[in-house]
Amino acid sequence: MIGAEIAYRSQKWNGTFRLRDIGEDYKPALGFVNRTGVKRYNTNFWRRYRPENSFIRFAETGAWTNIITDGNDRRIDHYYGAWAGAANNAGDELWLNYEHGYVDVQQSFSIANRIPVAVGEYRWNQYNIRASTTSSRMLGLEVEVNWGGVFGGDLLEISSGVSFRPSRFFEIRAEHEFRKFDLPAGEIGIHIASINSTIAFTPDMSIKTEIQYDNISEAFTFFSRFSWEPVPEREIFLSFGHTAIIDAQYFPRDFTSQSSSLALRLGHTFRM
């Protein structure tokens, strides 16, 4: 793989051009690539405004492109779009985005193993709006809506989150994602719900817990981890996890446990 990047940064104008040539036989020892034998061209540029004596901290507008070709420079996919957004002095943000996409599907696949997408060329336009409040308040809110076309049909995505932090010692956040694909081959709605919490007893001792469920795999996961660094470079880590299957038709009544795990790790860092 060969990659190159040219970028310009300033307080007002910014831009990036990135090229990656990924060979057919490229197999990274660490990480992965989702497609080989392609060239990727990514560009973006934007302008940031910082008005004086205003409640707006900054406003920003820009555009971007993402072009994918095969090894012979034949275009496979391309995307381009633009965005605009602003943040106030408190940290509340509002963003608007537009995307035009073109995809040449050369091998059929399915969405969530239920809705097939046939081989062919697809073009679409998508629109996005995202608003969030600052995390410095006790109650934080975030909502994002994405809608438009996809693979010859329609797409609707709605993501929302609410966080509650009554003190520096405790925070809990609930999130929900809904994705609806309405394609010629069928329709499907995907729900993903999660709850994350953090209890910080001291700066070096905390418990973090994650709970998640989605209606496609019908998998419920619970994972909690306790970490404590009694002295610098020494750590005690204790984790507990549990997985289960919940029938989407009878949620949350039908609960079938699958497995549980418990792990203890003691760590010490040696420096020469």
Side-chain angles (χ1 to χ4, degrees):
M1 187 190 79
I2 300 175
E5 178 178 313
I6 299 174
Y8 175 79
R9 297 287 183 267
S10 73
Q11 290 294 324
K12 293 183 178 180
W13 293 98
N14 298 269
T16 304
F17 173 78
R18 182 182 298 114
L19 165 65
R20 286 172 288 177
D21 188 346
I22 305 172
E24 289 280 359
D25 300 325
Y26 178 66
K27 297 179 180 179
L30 182 64
F32 69 96
V33 292
N34 57 10
R35 186 184 293 181
T36 59
V38 298
K39 297 179 181 178
R40 293 177 175 270
Y41 304 87
N42 302 97
T43 60
N44 60 60
F45 62 92
W46 70 96
R47 171 73 157 88
R48 175 164 288 193
Y49 306 86
R50 296 185 181 275
E52 297 182 0
N53 302 320
S54 173
F55 71 95
I56 297 178
R57 180 187 300 174
F58 71 84
E60 182 179 293
T61 183
W64 58 272
T65 63
N66 180 11
I67 301 173
I68 303 173
T69 70
D70 61 17
N72 298 318
D73 292 322
R74 185 184 71 86
R75 184 187 61 176
I76 302 175
D77 305 335
H78 78 243
Y79 308 87
Y80 61 79
W83 77 89
N88 62 15
N89 292 323
D92 305 316
E93 298 186 6
L94 175 65
W95 295 92
L96 306 173
N97 297 272
Y98 163 76
E99 175 189 287
H100 172 80
Y102 164 83
V103 176
D104 183 4
V105 177
Q106 301 178 359
Q107 184 176 357
S108 62
F109 65 96
S110 62
I111 297 175
N113 294 321
R114 298 188 184 184
I115 305 298
V117 177
V119 173
E121 297 183 359
Y122 300 93
R123 293 176 173 83
W124 63 72
N125 295 296
Q126 291 184 9
Y127 310 89
N128 175 279
I129 180 170
R130 177 170 58 88
S132 62
T133 61
T134 177
S135 59
S136 62
R137 298 192 184 99
M138 179 184 299
L139 184 67
L141 301 173
E142 182 176 347
V143 62
E144 181 175 356
V145 181
N146 188 65
W147 73 96
V150 67
F151 300 122
D154 296 318
L155 170 68
L156 173 63
E157 296 180 307
I158 302 176
S159 302
S160 58
V162 56
S163 61
F164 179 64
R165 186 170 57 182
S167 72
R168 61 181 179 177
F169 302 106
F170 177 75
E171 180 179 10
I172 186 169
R173 178 176 178 84
E175 297 180 345
H176 177 261
E177 297 181 19
F178 171 69
R179 299 174 186 171
K180 181 181 179 182
F181 294 87
D182 188 358
L183 307 184
E187 179 181 318
I188 187 174
I190 302 172
H191 294 267
I192 304 174
S194 64
I195 298 176
N196 300 271
S197 67
T198 301
I199 302 175
F201 302 100
T202 64
D204 51 28
M205 181 189 296
S206 64
I207 296 178
K208 295 185 178 181
T209 303
E210 301 172 4
I211 302 174
Q212 182 172 296
Y213 173 79
D214 73 89
N215 67 320
I216 300 300
S217 67
E218 299 184 329
F220 168 88
T221 59
F222 173 93
F223 183 70
S224 184
R225 55 192 185 274
F226 168 83
S227 63
W228 179 32
E229 191 175 357
V231 296
E233 301 182 343
R234 293 183 183 178
E235 181 188 32
I236 299 174
F237 182 87
L238 178 66
S239 66
F240 173 76
H242 184 76
T243 61
I245 299 296
I246 303 178
D247 191 323
Q249 288 185 319
Y250 303 102
F251 176 82
R253 186 180 63 190
D254 189 354
F255 186 96
T256 304
S257 297
Q258 297 292 301
S259 64
S260 298
S261 62
L262 180 66
L264 173 64
R265 186 182 71 202
L266 304 177
H268 182 82
T269 302
F270 295 91
R271 297 185 185 275
M272 302 296 292

